[in-house]
Amino acid sequence: MKAFKPHVAAIPRYPYAKVQAPIKLDQNESPYDLPEEVKRAVLERLATLPFNRYPEMHAETLRETVADFEGWSERGVVLAPGSNVLIQTLVAAAQRVLDLEPSFPHYKLSATLTATPYQAVPLGEGFTLPVEALVAAMREAETPGVLFIPNPHAPTGTFYSPDALSQLADAASTYGWLMVVDEAYYQFAPAHFKRQAQGQGHVAILRTFSKAWGLAGVRVGYLLASEEIAEVVQNLLPPFVIPATTAALLQTVLEHPGYVAEHTERIRRERERVFVELKAHPTWKAYPSHANFLLIRTPDAEVAYKELLARGILVRRQDHYPGFEGCIRVSIGTPVENDAFLKAAFELGREGTKEDA
Ligand SMILES: *Cc1c(COP(=O)(O)O)cnc(C)c1O
């Protein structure tokens, strides 16, 4: 280990352990695979690729397609194998990182692994955005840096209004910061911040194909930023980072994007149904969500996790965060999967809490 920088040995492992279960509601994946006809079109296209050749250096063709799709300048788009890679790249470039507590864990992990100064501000009462404290942190920091705001927020599902984000964007502009709005779940929410970010060098938008598009296994995310920011991020990524197979797959998917709205609508409807049904639960409380998951407070997260798993349902514990005692996070699945979850949840309610579980 002497060959490595000292901080590297202290890097924690990514907080996820794979567990098998018939009903998988632990990673906020789409429960729906690509429609059969789109998948067939993808496979036909893959068969025509020359596998002996390098792909385009920055997946330029796909980048142009994504830019058209988003109505964004092509030179302001950066593609990477997952938005996690873009988070890590942005943090590697950043002088410091400002985060929420809790938040998506990859911001903090990236700061640790790049030895970047890091500060997190706790969420306000009711998971609200602590605008004043974030503005103060930007104003008082020794140098500017990058502020990450997931919207909708993970792991609570809270949606932050464009007004609140605009206040942060103004402060970012004043104090020289870059605000990155991570819109991994924007399709499930009432609004997004892309229009406000357009032409604003101090705001960038991060999006992914992993959630609403149902392509978590394919690994592609993208940044929408000013051309100056995009160029720096692009230069930090290795060349040829998007495989030719991935580029061809996405090119085909973007020719058939109609399924996304349909799947998203089903998931939003199911999210509301599960939320409303849980209101009748004797001991569990779901928080309002604008993402494809629900944060639920139970009397004991360990008991809830184990008892659900015993019934074949895998969820994610969130009780390691301060103030999140008893909390689990449950992805919205197919109606059949959600029914199984609700049935198990109410069985657990009847059995009671820790004392008699
Ligand atoms: C799921 C998720 C991502 C997606 O990461 P990928 O690497 O693109 O799969 C990014 N940000 C947040 C907040 C997420 O929940």
Side-chain angles (χ1 to χ4, degrees):
M1 286 301 242
K2 280 192 178 149
F4 291 166
K5 298 177 188 78
H7 79 274
V8 168
I11 292 171
R13 155 180 321 188
Y14 195 82
Y16 180 73
K18 193 164 176 72
V19 175
Q20 298 290 348
I23 298 181
K24 195 174 175 315
L25 305 178
D26 68 327
Q27 277 188 297
N28 301 343
E29 295 152 319
S30 174
Y32 304 112
D33 197 353
L34 271 187
E36 197 53 45
E37 64 280 9
V38 184
K39 210 168 194 178
R40 246 196 319 274
V42 164
L43 294 175
E44 278 167 25
R45 192 164 191 152
L46 292 186
T48 68
L49 279 183
F51 284 178
N52 58 322
R53 299 295 177 194
Y54 274 97
E56 293 174 17
M57 186 146 84
H58 298 315
E60 283 82 356
T61 306
L62 178 62
R63 194 169 73 179
E64 197 182 327
T65 305
V66 170
D68 280 352
F69 182 83
E70 292 287 12
W72 200 267
S73 147
E74 190 196 334
R75 288 157 52 98
V77 177
V78 185
L79 296 157
S83 43
N84 276 332
V85 173
L86 287 163
I87 291 166
Q88 213 162 299
T89 309
L90 284 159
V91 172
Q95 301 223 54
R96 61 185 59 249
V97 168
L98 182 57
D99 193 2
L100 296 165
E101 166 71 49
S103 193
F104 187 55
H106 209 62
Y107 314 135
K108 184 177 185 179
L109 193 64
S110 297
T112 307
L113 62 90
T114 55
T116 305
Y118 173 89
Q119 185 188 347
V121 173
L123 293 181
E125 197 66 43
F127 307 144
T128 48
L129 196 58
V131 173
E132 278 176 32
L134 288 168
V135 170
M138 285 192 266
R139 185 177 58 233
E140 286 156 22
E142 239 170 82
T143 67
V146 176
L147 163 66
F148 286 96
I149 304 288
N151 195 37
H153 177 259
T156 64
T158 311
F159 173 70
Y160 301 132
S161 72
D163 278 354
L165 293 185
S166 289
Q167 290 180 52
L168 291 178
D170 289 346
S173 171
T174 304
Y175 304 115
W177 284 66
L178 174 66
M179 174 167 91
V180 175
V181 185
D182 184 344
E183 295 192 334
Y185 302 104
Y186 83 93
Q187 293 95 335
F188 305 103
H192 56 70
F193 205 62
K194 185 174 71 177
R195 290 291 151 240
Q196 290 89 329
Q198 206 121 34
Q200 306 291 317
H202 51 282
V203 182
I205 304 284
L206 194 57
R207 292 188 169 178
T208 178
F209 288 100
S210 297
K211 306 283 161 58
W213 290 86
L215 296 169
V218 174
R219 313 300 308 125
V220 182
Y222 55 96
L223 186 74
L224 305 174
S226 70
E227 295 185 0
E228 293 74 18
I229 296 279
E231 183 168 358
V232 172
V233 174
Q234 187 72 78
N235 291 344
L236 275 167
L237 288 167
F240 316 113
V241 79
I242 301 287
T245 45
T246 305
L249 184 154
L250 273 168
Q251 198 65 44
T252 311
V253 169
L254 284 162
E255 287 163 14
H256 308 269
Y259 74 93
V260 180
E262 195 183 308
H263 290 183
T264 302
E265 187 43 42
R266 265 190 243 165
I267 292 164
R268 287 168 72 135
R269 241 187 349 251
E270 279 294 289
R271 177 190 71 206
E272 290 318 296
R273 178 177 77 91
V274 175
F275 178 75
V276 168
E277 291 203 22
L278 280 174
K279 285 187 177 182
H281 198 285
T283 53
W284 292 19
K285 177 193 186 312
Y287 293 96
S289 166
H290 287 97
N292 64 345
F293 59 83
L294 290 170
L295 182 75
I296 300 170
R297 197 177 296 265
T298 75
D300 187 310
E302 184 180 359
V303 171
Y305 174 88
K306 286 186 176 159
E307 292 294 322
L308 288 169
L309 192 56
R311 291 161 175 79
I313 301 160
L314 182 61
V315 302
R316 195 79 155 261
R317 284 176 68 168
Q318 299 291 327
D319 57 316
H320 49 287
Y321 295 121
F324 282 57
E325 293 75 18
C327 287
I328 57 169
R329 194 195 67 196
V330 183
S331 312
I332 300 301
T334 63
V336 170
E337 290 173 330
N338 302 331
D339 281 343
F341 165 72
L342 285 166
K343 180 165 176 284
F346 279 92
E347 276 172 27
L348 287 178
R350 261 198 306 282
E351 282 162 20
T353 58
K354 192 171 192 166
E355 286 72 54
D356 50 12

